[in-house]
Every structure is written in structure tokens, then in C-alpha cells.
Amino acid sequence: MTFVTKLRFQSGDRAALDDTVNGIREMLERKGAECKGPHTEPAERVRVPLYEGLSSGDRLGDWTFEVFARRLEIHGNDHIAREVGHMDFPDSVHVEIELEQKKPLGYRQN
């Protein structure tokens, strides 16, 4: 059975996000891992209301910013995927890791 490691990166800092994802992609290529991506997701505009103080209800307006996202998939190469999972990422980049087990066609469990 093969494992697919799905990585999703999010950040409000596009440069830090691209540097992180491109660095991982280059490392995976150097080590010979099968990698798909990075796939770019549409930027998400987030709006946060601002208030004058905690106790007052006086609203000052909204703070808006964009969140950028990229996805990568590592097929097989479990030891390399584990190495990526233990890497230190910049504080401005949020990383989600999902592991999926792929069974070969015709596989039956008894």
C-alpha cells in the first residue's frame, strides 16, 4: 500500500509562503520523491471588525487582509514525508498535513 502525504500551506505573507513551498519542492526533487504541486488556491479575503475597546461597542471599521494557500502531495517516500512533517516552518506560515492510504486496484482485505 502506498501513502499520499497532502500538505496545505496558508499565510498572509505571500513571499514567505512561496519561499517555504518552493524550498520544500526543491528538496523533494533533489531527494527523488514523487511530488505533485504546488497547486495555488484562490486568495481568500478576510475581514475582521475593529472596536475601540473591549467594553465599548464603538466600531472603528474593518481590518481586511488576504490569505494565500498552496497545496503539495508527496506520493510514497514515507521517510521523506516524515522529514517534511518534522521541519520548522516560519511563524507566518500555517501548515496542515494529511496522510491518506492508497490501496492498489483489486486489493481485497480478508
Side-chain angles (χ1 to χ4, degrees):
M1 284 180 258
T2 304
F3 289 95
V4 177
T5 306
K6 297 179 180 184
L7 303 161
R8 185 165 189 260
F9 302 88
Q10 291 179 305
S11 180
D13 183 353
R14 180 184 271 173
L17 177 67
D18 288 339
D19 287 345
T20 301
V21 172
N22 291 335
I24 290 173
R25 173 73 184 192
E26 290 170 5
M27 181 199 73
L28 293 172
E29 288 175 351
R30 263 193 330 269
K31 294 190 176 207
E34 183 183 344
C35 177
K36 293 187 180 179
H39 303 288
T40 303
E41 297 179 6
E44 179 183 351
R45 184 168 291 277
V46 179
R47 186 177 314 176
V48 180
L50 296 174
Y51 295 93
E52 188 173 317
L54 292 174
S55 59
S56 71
D58 297 334
R59 189 168 173 173
L60 297 174
D62 291 335
W63 174 50
T64 60
F65 61 97
E66 288 185 312
V67 176
F68 305 97
R70 307 283 185 271
R71 289 180 292 114
L72 277 174
E73 289 184 2
I74 305 170
H75 293 260
N77 298 331
D78 302 337
H79 63 286
I80 296 173
R82 191 175 302 113
E83 185 178 326
V84 171
H86 289 287
M87 290 175 65
D88 288 328
F89 297 102
D91 290 337
S92 62
V93 178
H94 174 75
V95 182
E96 295 175 6
I97 301 174
E98 180 182 337
L99 193 62
E100 184 178 306
Q101 187 176 14
K102 296 280 187 175
K103 297 178 181 160
L105 289 174
Y107 177 81
R108 275 193 344 199
Q109 187 174 3
N110 294 329

